[in-house]
Amino acid sequence: MPLDRILDCKFINDNDQAQRSAREQLKFIVANKDKLNNVRNGNSYKIAAISLNRCKENFTPKQLSYIDNIYEKVMKGAGYESFSANYKPKKSLRY
């Protein structure tokens, strides 16, 4: 491998890219906020997205996760495929 391709740091931090992605997702959410009317608790997601869009500081990891969740709700409300995590443990087996 050529020496010019070796990175200076061992661990890469993509926080800047995550912040830019969240900003773009928020622009999409605000532009399509009427799609949130089709999902459960859509009005609270709409209010949260608008308030997060006004925020000028960097987002925390929990805020980034919440923005991604709202983005998936918009996609679900629009009728496209979306992901929703369901981390409930399965109950015991029934024979």
Side-chain angles (χ1 to χ4, degrees), residues 1-14:
M1 176 184 264
L3 290 177
D4 60 345
R5 291 189 179 206
I6 296 176
L7 298 174
D8 293 333
C9 64
K10 189 173 183 180
F11 302 102
I12 298 174
N13 185 358
D14 285 339

Side-chain angles (χ1 to χ4, degrees), residues 45-93:
Y45 289 124
K46 195 183 314 182
I47 293 168
I50 291 170
S51 67
L52 284 170
N53 196 27
R54 291 186 196 137
C55 183
K56 300 297 179 193
E57 300 90 29
N58 284 345
F59 297 118
T60 63
K62 288 185 179 183
Q63 287 174 328
L64 291 172
S65 177
Y66 191 61
I67 290 169
D68 193 44
N69 186 22
I70 297 173
Y71 176 78
E72 293 295 331
K73 298 289 184 186
V74 169
M75 295 301 276
K76 182 178 182 180
Y80 297 113
E81 292 183 9
S82 65
F83 172 77
S84 61
N86 188 4
Y87 297 115
K88 294 179 184 175
K90 293 185 178 181
K91 294 183 179 181
S92 62
L93 295 174

